[in-house]
Amino acid sequence: MRLRSKQGLFRQWDATSKCKVSNLHVGLGNVMKETAKTRPNRVAPWLLFAAVASAPLPFGSSQLVTVAFWCVVLGACLVFAPVRSLTGGQLALAAVAGVVVAAYGLVLHEQLAVRHWLPGASPNPIWEQAQAVLGVPLVGSISIARNQPWFELGRPLVCMLALCCGFLVGTDTGRARQLLNVIAWSGVVYAAFGVVAHIFDPTHILWRDKDAYLDSVTGTFINRNTAGAYFGSCALVWSVLLWERVQQKMPRGVLLTWPTISGLLARPPKAVIVTFTMLFLCLAAMFMTLSRGAVVPSLLALVVGFILFFRRHFPRRAALVTALAGGGAIVFLLLEVMGAGVNARFDSVGLASGGRLETYKATLRLIGDHPWFGTGQGTFAEAFPAYRSADAPIWGVWDVAHNTLLEIAADMGIPIAALVTVGWAIIFATLIHGVIVRKRGVIFPVAALMVALVAVLHSLVDFSLQIPGYSIVALALIGAGLAQSFRRDPNRSKAPKLVSKPASDAVDQSWADPQPNLPGIAQFFGLPKMATKPLNLDENRVLGPSYTVNSKLGN
């Protein structure tokens, strides 16, 4: 009788062990399948992070070879980027981007084609004049420089790729957070390098001789204005990280008053001190560029971002006005203390210098003569001399308009410039919507809105968005901010409850092993933590309430 009991007990233990081993194999197989599915989702973020961190390094990536390289990298990022989790609002933004790309491609075709698709498209008269002078037949085109639009396609393409990659990768809150950190810390590294290089060797940019801006910090950029916009944008990212840390130390529901601020300043946490130090370093580098067009928009965006981030913590409208006035006073103090060089440039040359106003007037005349399709993408340097004003300084060559919108209108025509303007208006409206509807994740739309404000305002007086070393960073962050500007689905945020079902009669619970650490295995393979539920072999058979695995691996 005792022998039979032992034999039955052994058989029961053997059945339980075999069932658990087979079920472990199923769980591991599902883990490997889930890992294979998420591997592309890991490739895309790292490609984007590498581009954002490295784009400013090779002289702002202004050479055509580096532009082509970043187009390849961001194109690969776009291929691997996740698209399944897009919501309705995000799909609408993607459709807007598709319309802009389609319109841009149509105009590009008309500029290069011999046979045009659109009525009214005809070759530029300069080809007939050249044919008459040379005495040889020439095939005309809308572009005044043959195939030049193809050579300049990389710059607008890399901008659109950076925006789309930031948008798709930024749909995940964790990846958007990582992108913020990558931009912030890489910006600190470039700022520190720029300040140190300016102190010890102001005549070189990396290994090249520095031909201009010897009195200014340029970092790894050639132009001080682009460097100022980059350092200013990084300072804005550090500012929102600082505000977030301060907000985390504030008791919930407490208004932002002077006693609250003084209490936080009395014993600041280490994280706040480190973040403030990084912010100060980026601000110092920005002021040392002596760029008026970068400093003023950055300080303006700093005040606007502060008001938007803490708008729920102000007791009343009067306090909001007081905060706005206080922010303006802080900006004035920063200009007086850290911006002595910038103020000196304002005193010597004023708000506009170097013939910008004359150039803008001449560019408007150029646009008036070629309103629909422009003179060809990237042909401003060839088309502008015929319209250059005699009142403009004779020093230098105007190869850019120092106003990105006007240059787009001159190169691609007024319709494309108007479409780009509408696109930016949609971006600002979406980011403002995100600031209003988001609470916990408000840092993303606020940071993107601040950087977008700097990028757009600075591009109206210079060409920072035409330099990939800055445009990749700014547009990737703006794309992530757009993706995070929608209210999260409450059904997604709720984790499924732990379900406990009775064990099958074929398995004795007294022999059940402790819960295996399958979530730990999932984490080992890089999968995110998720809610757990029992792993079912089929509809009528369950291992037991203690055997739990990743909820996505159980089905």
Side-chain angles (χ1 to χ4, degrees), residues 310-364:
F310 288 105
R311 64 186 182 88
R312 302 179 188 274
H313 296 273
F314 292 117
R316 57 182 67 89
R317 294 182 180 180
L320 183 63
V321 175
T322 304
L324 185 60
I330 293 176
V331 167
F332 179 77
L333 183 63
L334 287 174
L335 277 174
E336 291 297 323
V337 175
M338 302 178 64
V342 178
N343 288 332
R345 292 199 66 210
F346 274 119
D347 294 337
S348 60
V349 296
L351 291 175
S353 62
R356 274 185 169 87
L357 293 179
E358 292 78 8
T359 301
Y360 297 159
K361 295 177 183 179
T363 305
L364 289 174

Side-chain angles (χ1 to χ4, degrees), residues 107 111 366 373-380 406-413:
V107 174
Q111 290 181 350
L366 172 61
F373 301 101
T375 59
Q377 181 176 252
T379 61
F380 182 84
L406 288 181
E407 189 167 341
I408 291 175
D411 287 353
M412 302 296 293

Side-chain angles (χ1 to χ4, degrees), residues 103-129:
Y104 201 95
L106 178 61
V107 174
L108 190 66
H109 170 270
E110 295 300 297
Q111 290 181 350
L112 295 169
V114 177
R115 297 181 179 179
H116 304 286
W117 292 347
L118 299 179
S122 59
N124 194 289
I126 196 173
W127 292 100
E128 295 182 359
Q129 299 172 9

Side-chain angles (χ1 to χ4, degrees), residues 457-529:
L457 291 180
H458 191 258
S459 66
L460 295 179
V461 295
D462 216 272
F463 50 89
S464 56
L465 283 179
Q466 298 170 245
I467 305 299
Y470 174 69
S471 62
I472 290 176
V473 177
L475 292 174
L477 178 58
I478 293 171
L482 290 173
Q484 292 291 322
S485 293
F486 298 92
R487 193 188 302 273
R488 298 185 64 185
D489 187 0
N491 297 326
R492 286 188 178 184
S493 61
K494 293 181 180 179
K497 296 181 179 179
L498 184 65
V499 181
S500 178
K501 295 183 180 180
S504 172
D505 295 337
V507 180
D508 186 4
Q509 289 297 309
S510 63
W511 290 92
D513 293 333
Q515 176 181 344
N517 191 21
L518 283 185
I521 297 176
Q523 295 170 22
F524 174 78
F525 285 104
L527 298 179
K529 291 183 179 180

Side-chain angles (χ1 to χ4, degrees), residues 221-241:
F221 292 90
I222 303 296
N223 187 275
R224 67 180 172 192
N225 298 310
T226 307
Y230 174 73
F231 294 139
S233 298
C234 294
L236 294 177
V237 173
W238 276 110
S239 66
V240 293
L241 293 176

Side-chain angles (χ1 to χ4, degrees), residues 266-454:
R267 295 180 179 179
K270 292 182 179 180
V272 173
I273 296 176
V274 171
T275 307
F276 178 80
T277 304
M278 301 300 106
L279 169 61
F280 180 82
L281 181 57
C282 290
L283 284 176
M286 179 192 70
F287 279 111
M288 293 178 69
T289 61
L290 306 182
S291 173
R292 299 160 297 166
V295 169
V296 173
S298 297
L299 295 179
L300 175 64
L302 189 66
V303 175
V304 172
F306 178 80
I307 298 299
L308 293 177
F309 191 87
F310 288 105
R311 64 186 182 88
R312 302 179 188 274
H313 296 273
F314 292 117
R316 57 182 67 89
R317 294 182 180 180
L320 183 63
V321 175
T322 304
L324 185 60
I330 293 176
V331 167
F332 179 77
L333 183 63
L334 287 174
L335 277 174
E336 291 297 323
V337 175
M338 302 178 64
V342 178
N343 288 332
R345 292 199 66 210
F346 274 119
D347 294 337
S348 60
V349 296
L351 291 175
S353 62
R356 274 185 169 87
L357 293 179
E358 292 78 8
T359 301
Y360 297 159
K361 295 177 183 179
T363 305
L364 289 174
R365 293 196 300 270
L366 172 61
I367 295 171
D369 291 341
H370 308 84
W372 299 110
F373 301 101
T375 59
Q377 181 176 252
T379 61
F380 182 84
E382 291 80 9
F384 181 75
Y387 296 87
R388 184 168 181 169
S389 174
D391 298 330
I394 62 174
W395 181 83
V397 176
W398 288 86
D399 54 351
V400 290
H402 288 265
N403 185 306
T404 302
L405 184 61
L406 288 181
E407 189 167 341
I408 291 175
D411 287 353
M412 302 296 293
I414 295 177
I416 292 296
L419 191 60
V420 170
T421 304
V422 172
W424 275 107
I426 294 175
I427 288 175
F428 278 107
T430 305
L431 293 176
I432 293 173
H433 172 267
V435 172
I436 296 174
V437 301
R438 293 301 302 269
K439 293 182 179 179
R440 293 184 179 178
V442 72
I443 183 175
F444 303 112
V446 168
L449 182 61
M450 296 163 65
V451 173
L453 191 62
V454 172

